[in-house]
Amino acid sequence: MGETVAILGAGATKSFGGPLTNEILRDVFLNKADFPNAKALTELEEFLQQNFHLPPDASKHDYPPTSPLSSSMSRTRAST
């Protein structure tokens, strides 16, 4: 099986109290040492810093929502 990409969050869940992507990402990166594949999270964080100018001390409001994030990831993946 090839590489797997997980897109976190969905706007439909927000009305039921679920988090949006920008809310999930901040928590994930703050706790990335707890994840078995922290290296992949570091690569994603670097991608966000390069493509969305994410500051090192980012708040949840600095992270992109799902649509621009997935669109940018698709374009980047297609060009590699």
Side-chain angles (χ1 to χ4, degrees):
M1 179 181 241
E3 293 181 31
T4 301
V5 174
I7 305 299
L8 306 174
T13 62
K14 187 64 179 175
S15 62
F16 296 102
L20 295 174
T21 300
N22 63 332
E23 297 165 335
I24 294 170
L25 287 175
R26 180 176 179 272
D27 290 340
V28 166
F29 293 128
L30 287 175
N31 299 294
K32 68 182 170 187
D34 297 337
F35 288 84
N37 194 353
K39 182 180 182 290
L41 291 176
T42 299
E43 291 173 0
L44 176 58
E45 191 171 30
E46 290 170 359
F47 172 84
L48 293 171
Q49 289 169 345
Q50 293 169 1
N51 292 281
F52 292 94
H53 309 289
L54 189 71
D57 59 345
S59 75
K60 69 178 182 180
H61 303 291
D62 294 316
Y63 289 92
T66 301
S67 182
L69 176 60
S70 60
S71 175
S72 182
M73 290 173 69
S74 295
R75 286 192 308 270
T76 301
R77 183 72 175 157
S79 66
T80 58

